Amino acid sequence: MLDAFANHEAAKIRFDVEGLQREEAEYLSFDPRAFWENVPAPLVRPRFLPIVSTDSLATMLARKSNGRVDGFIIEGPTAGGHNAPLAGRCS
């Protein structure tokens, strides 16, 4: 998607919807050209740095990505946020 959008091309990504049959699929799509009369020059493709918390996720992204992965931001349990260890009870 980053490559397509940098070139002002249409792109789509599969969107999982609960209740669909296995052979059914939904997609989110966007075509930047629909918003311009004169398409501007291509953009520089931004870097793709996914945030991962496990080596298995990083490995899967590196192997199965259909675009360039420029690196990873590794989040450990001390980083806070959704990967933080459980805290004590809130009062």
Side-chain angles (χ1 to χ4, degrees):
M1 291 184 74
L2 293 176
D3 295 321
F5 287 164
N7 290 311
H8 309 301
E9 298 170 352
K12 66 180 182 177
I13 187 168
R14 186 180 172 125
F15 184 70
D16 293 327
V17 176
E18 188 174 330
L20 288 182
Q21 299 298 316
R22 175 172 269 173
E23 63 277 358
E24 294 179 302
E26 287 291 330
Y27 291 88
L28 297 176
S29 60
F30 179 71
D31 185 354
R33 292 174 186 246
F35 297 92
W36 288 302
E37 286 185 26
N38 300 310
V39 178
L43 303 170
V44 174
R45 179 195 180 275
R47 292 184 182 196
F48 177 48
L49 300 166
I51 301 170
V52 297
S53 58
T54 64
D55 61 336
S56 59
L57 179 56
T59 300
M60 187 270 307
L61 278 169
R63 287 184 183 163
K64 295 188 176 188
S65 176
N66 61 2
R68 186 179 82 222
V69 177
D70 298 299
F72 295 97
I73 298 171
I74 309 300
E75 179 186 55
T78 58
H82 70 276
N83 197 30
L86 295 176
R89 284 190 175 195
C90 296
S91 318

